[in-house]
Amino acid sequence: MRTLNWMVPASLLLALGAMAQQPTETQSGSQPAPTQMSAPANTPDQAQPASTQSSAPASAQPAPPPAAPQPTTMDQVVDRFVMREKGLIKMLQARTPVIETYLQNLTLDPTLGPVPKDDKYFLGRMDLSVSIDRKDYIHDDQSMEKHLLGGFSKLFKIQYQPLGFSWMIFADRNDFDRQHYDFRYVRREFLGEVRCLVFDVTPKPKSGQGRFLGRLWVEDQDYNIVRLNGTYAPRPRNAFFFHMDSWRLNLIPGYWVPAFIYSEEGDFSAGAKNQLAFKAQTRIWGYDLHKEGESDELTNIRVDSVKDDSPTAQDASPLAAEREWQQQAEDNVIERLTRAGLLAPEGDVDKILQTVVNNIQVTNNIDLPRPVRTRVLLTSPLETFSVGNTIIISRGLIDVLPDESSLAMALTHELAHIVLGHNLGSKYAFNDRMLFSDEATYQNLGFKHIPEEEAAADKKAVDLLKNSPYAQKLESAGLFLKMLNTRAGALNALLTAHLGNNMTEGATVTRMSSLMGSAPQIDWNKLDQIAALPMGGRVKLNPWDDKVELVKSQPVAITSARDKMPFEVTPFFPRLTRTGTTDSNGTAGNAANTAPTPTSAANTNAPAN
Ligand SMILES: [Zn+2]
């Protein structure tokens, strides 16, 4: 048992090492496989495989701000970061990044502390041109405010200024200056590798409602704001401002762009009257996406899908034509989802996912006419789906899976659909079906199977897993599903798939549910039993170019049942680095950097056993 636990990750590492030596089939062979962090600014296109390359970058990377003399007084520092903030607002005017907010309302569990009671999800594109405006990806009869406010709208009238959880992108979009604010220098402090000057910010009396109140961190080279922490004040009657912690990353030279916002309210101390309690994570990405209407749409639509490089080219046989057709649909969908900012470009995480899929295929002698590809959906809700021979798994699902066997469980369900020929989406081979606005993606694309195909895929997947390197470790996949089952009633938004099938029905797990039978009981007090991880711990997303990589974080010891936090929202603490610099590990960094070495998908949080 102990040996097996180590063997599979080790074999995966070996396989990855071998793969890194040679170009993969699906990538354009002449290009070197870039390490994620080493090619930041100069070669934004290289990691995109030709088959899914949507277009040139949205626009040329913004020129870094001109060099300026170093300030010598704190007043000059304030003037500089006020100026840099205006520069950032201007640079981002042309951008329409994706913004995602995932919120969990909390209730107090005597053993586990605050736990999710229900949840809300919002996904949109943000237009940063004039005022902050969000376009919904998810449409329903509720307004965006109601969607976010959910059950507690009756308790408080929550004022959004400008809107929702995106206000803390800037401290104050219009009046961030000395006329409206007092800035008090506090101290120097490192955030990650970046030395910062820390300032407390208070609005001047009578400067108006909804002014920023809190603390900001300014890096000490170009004097860009890298973090904002606080709220807005004064608080109007019957209204309420959230507390927020807003982080920026240095993804392009000279600019730190907003990437993460954490928000939390609530007080469970004895006698507390505040009934509002939630935690929310807001993520922003897709800064380099095309702005809707800005690009020449027609040049982006794939019209040359049928490659004809065989020397003895002939008309395709009926079966070959059917496969070409499916491939064309698959390519269209992948390209369209990438362009909408919902899919990561092909990268190192896919190699790991493909290795897991390959492990299943090899041990089951599955020989498919085309290799199975994998891609990462950038959103948080837990979902998988497949189109043609491509398996797509959401970032949120990869985040919460405790180990490689549970990852294999998630991927094998989709592999089973492919093996069984449950092909969906051939209608997307018609290019007119790709012509819709990005916000309408969920209305125009869908890959949900009928219940009979779901049941058949589950059954086939269990058979495949039992004949795979993961056969001896399926109890951990079952344990994951069991934990999901206990939390399913509180996590409706997280469990609502937007493109594929839900893993649950009502508040009950249906996906691969037979695996739950062989799993051990959930034991909260058994500290080495990790059934599922918190949100956001495994996949790191570059908000500029949407590339993803796996985080290799140091395991943190779990000391109580409250540390387990399965599926829960936690604060962000990205490790800040400057773009193009080299960190202490000798690796080039451009984001919240951690060691970029891809490893097996084995758990990095749970104690090794
Ligand atoms: Zn399915």
Side-chain angles (χ1 to χ4, degrees):
M1 187 63 202
R2 189 178 180 85
T3 329
L4 270 172
N5 279 349
W6 283 99
M7 261 174 66
V8 176
S11 62
L12 187 52
L13 272 173
L14 282 175
L16 284 168
M19 286 173 74
Q21 305 300 314
Q22 48 194 311
T24 56
E25 293 173 66
T26 47
Q27 289 199 334
S28 42
S30 61
Q31 289 171 343
T35 60
Q36 202 90 36
M37 312 301 285
S38 65
N42 315 330
T43 54
D45 257 346
Q46 284 208 347
Q48 294 205 352
S51 62
T52 57
Q53 191 162 25
S54 55
S55 58
S59 47
Q61 206 170 73
Q70 285 294 304
T72 50
T73 66
M74 277 303 158
D75 279 354
Q76 287 174 2
V77 169
V78 171
D79 289 342
R80 180 70 70 82
F81 69 68
V82 164
M83 192 183 79
R84 292 300 311 125
E85 189 72 357
K86 287 183 165 55
L88 176 75
I89 290 169
K90 190 157 183 286
M91 187 277 281
L92 292 179
Q93 274 178 3
R95 308 276 156 182
T96 56
V98 178
I99 183 160
E100 177 194 66
T101 297
Y102 177 58
L103 178 153
Q104 291 179 337
N105 283 311
L106 306 174
T107 187
L108 188 65
D109 178 290
T111 310
L112 302 175
V115 295
K117 178 174 65 176
D118 59 63
D119 62 348
K120 306 284 168 198
Y121 182 71
F122 175 76
L123 179 70
R125 283 287 278 277
M126 200 167 40
D127 187 342
L128 293 170
S129 57
V130 184
S131 61
I132 293 176
D133 177 29
R134 295 161 60 143
K135 293 177 180 169
D136 281 31
Y137 274 80
I138 298 163
H139 293 272
D140 58 21
D141 49 350
Q142 294 185 318
S143 71
M144 191 272 284
E145 277 85 354
K146 277 186 186 154
H147 201 96
L148 283 177
L149 300 185
F152 50 80
S153 57
K154 290 184 188 76
L155 290 176
F156 292 94
K157 175 179 169 292
I158 296 182
Q159 184 163 336
Y160 290 91
Q161 250 191 14
L163 266 183
F165 289 86
S166 51
W167 358 302
M168 265 252 188
I169 283 179
F170 307 117
D172 185 327
R173 199 177 194 288
N174 301 318
D175 300 310
F176 188 63
D177 53 37
R178 279 181 199 283
Q179 287 73 54
H180 294 82
Y181 289 96
D182 289 318
F183 299 94
R184 189 180 66 84
Y185 172 71
V186 182
R187 61 166 179 269
R188 283 175 198 274
E189 188 178 302
F190 274 92
L191 291 180
E193 297 181 351
V194 176
R195 193 170 62 178
C196 297
L197 306 175
V198 184
F199 290 86
D200 279 341
V201 183
T202 47
K204 286 198 189 287
K206 301 200 176 92
S207 62
Q209 282 190 345
R211 296 292 180 197
F212 176 67
L213 173 66
R215 177 165 288 192
L216 52 82
W217 285 253
V218 178
E219 48 90 14
D220 72 351
Q221 264 180 26
D222 299 321
Y223 301 95
N224 292 293
I225 296 173
V226 302
R227 183 185 181 192
L228 296 153
N229 175 300
T231 185
Y232 291 86
R235 173 180 159 168
R237 257 165 57 86
N238 300 323
F240 181 82
F241 289 113
F242 300 136
H243 288 85
M244 297 204 188
D245 190 25
S246 175
W247 292 81
R248 298 175 178 179
L249 301 178
N250 187 205
L251 303 174
I252 52 168
Y255 293 98
W256 289 71
V257 298
F260 307 108
I261 304 170
Y262 174 70
S263 195
E264 177 186 306
E265 298 293 339
D267 181 1
F268 288 106
S269 59
K273 292 200 178 71
N274 189 355
Q275 293 176 61
L276 175 78
F278 71 84
K279 292 179 182 179
Q281 288 183 339
T282 296
R283 291 181 166 80
I284 305 154
W285 70 83
Y287 281 103
D288 206 23
L289 292 171
H290 269 284
K291 193 169 179 173
E292 202 69 40
E294 178 187 72
S295 61
D296 180 1
E297 288 288 331
L298 283 176
T299 62
N300 291 333
I301 302 298
R302 199 179 167 78
V303 290
D304 56 348
S305 297
V306 182
K307 293 187 209 84
D308 200 13
D309 42 15
S310 140
T312 56
Q314 291 182 19
D315 288 349
S317 71
L319 180 58
E322 178 67 26
R323 287 186 180 147
E324 289 279 11
W325 188 249
Q326 286 169 4
Q327 166 115 43
Q328 187 172 316
E330 177 180 340
D331 288 347
N332 276 349
V333 168
I334 299 299
E335 185 266 335
R336 189 66 191 88
L337 285 173
T338 308
R339 192 152 51 86
L342 295 174
L343 214 57
E346 194 163 354
D348 288 347
V349 177
D350 298 315
K351 291 180 194 162
I352 291 166
L353 301 177
Q354 276 158 12
T355 303
V356 174
V357 173
N358 198 47
N359 287 346
I360 307 283
Q361 282 186 265
V362 167
T363 47
N364 285 281
N365 296 313
I366 296 170
D367 197 13
L368 296 167
R370 289 188 288 126
V372 174
R373 300 186 291 179
T374 60
R375 293 292 284 273
V376 178
L377 190 70
L378 293 170
T379 49
S380 290
L382 313 187
E383 66 178 305
T384 60
F385 61 95
S386 47
V387 50
N389 269 29
T390 298
I391 295 173
I392 292 163
I393 178 168
S394 66
R395 173 184 55 76
L397 180 54
I398 299 174
D399 272 344
V400 296
L401 292 169
D403 61 7
E404 199 169 314
S405 65
S406 51
L407 176 63
M409 180 264 300
L411 296 170
T412 306
H413 173 87
E414 297 303 333
L415 178 65
H417 279 308
I418 293 171
V419 169
L420 294 171
H422 296 167
N423 201 3
L424 287 179
S426 65
K427 64 180 180 182
Y428 301 123
F430 289 108
N431 286 301
D432 60 286
R433 294 209 163 97
M434 299 296 110
L435 293 170
F436 48 82
S437 69
D438 290 348
E439 305 90 79
T441 301
Y442 290 161
Q443 284 76 52
N444 284 273
L445 297 181
F447 307 93
K448 288 193 201 312
H449 291 275
I450 57 172
E452 291 80 2
E453 288 184 352
E454 282 300 285
D458 278 349
K459 187 170 179 300
K460 179 75 180 174
V462 171
D463 290 346
L464 295 176
L465 285 167
K466 287 191 171 157
N467 192 29
S468 81
Y470 308 105
Q472 305 303 314
K473 308 207 305 173
L474 290 179
E475 65 270 27
S476 71
L479 190 65
F480 169 81
L481 294 172
K482 250 187 186 171
M483 181 58 85
L484 191 60
N485 208 40
T486 68
R487 287 272 163 105
L491 302 176
N492 186 51
L494 188 66
L495 290 167
T496 299
H498 296 285
L499 293 164
N501 285 88
N502 286 355
M503 298 175 72
T504 52
E505 211 176 286
T508 307
V509 168
T510 48
R511 177 75 53 91
M512 315 276 283
S513 54
S514 66
L515 291 179
M516 286 192 275
S518 58
Q521 287 303 308
I522 290 171
D523 183 352
W524 287 99
N525 293 316
K526 194 166 179 285
L527 295 184
D528 63 350
Q529 185 194 67
I530 306 296
L533 303 184
M535 299 297 298
R538 206 187 269 295
V539 180
K540 194 168 84 178
L541 161 62
N542 179 320
W544 191 265
D545 60 18
D546 293 355
K547 288 179 191 167
V548 290
E549 63 182 299
L550 287 189
V551 173
K552 179 91 170 71
S553 53
Q554 293 295 323
V556 177
I558 284 178
T559 58
S560 79
R562 294 191 181 202
D563 284 349
K564 292 188 175 182
M565 301 188 291
F567 310 108
E568 290 178 25
V569 163
T570 66
F572 294 110
F573 252 91
R575 175 172 168 73
L576 301 188
T577 57
R578 294 182 190 280
T579 185
T581 56
T582 300
D583 67 23
S584 50
N585 297 324
T587 49
N590 69 347
N593 199 0
T594 51
T597 324
T599 64
S600 85
N603 183 19
T604 52
N605 278 21
N609 56 350

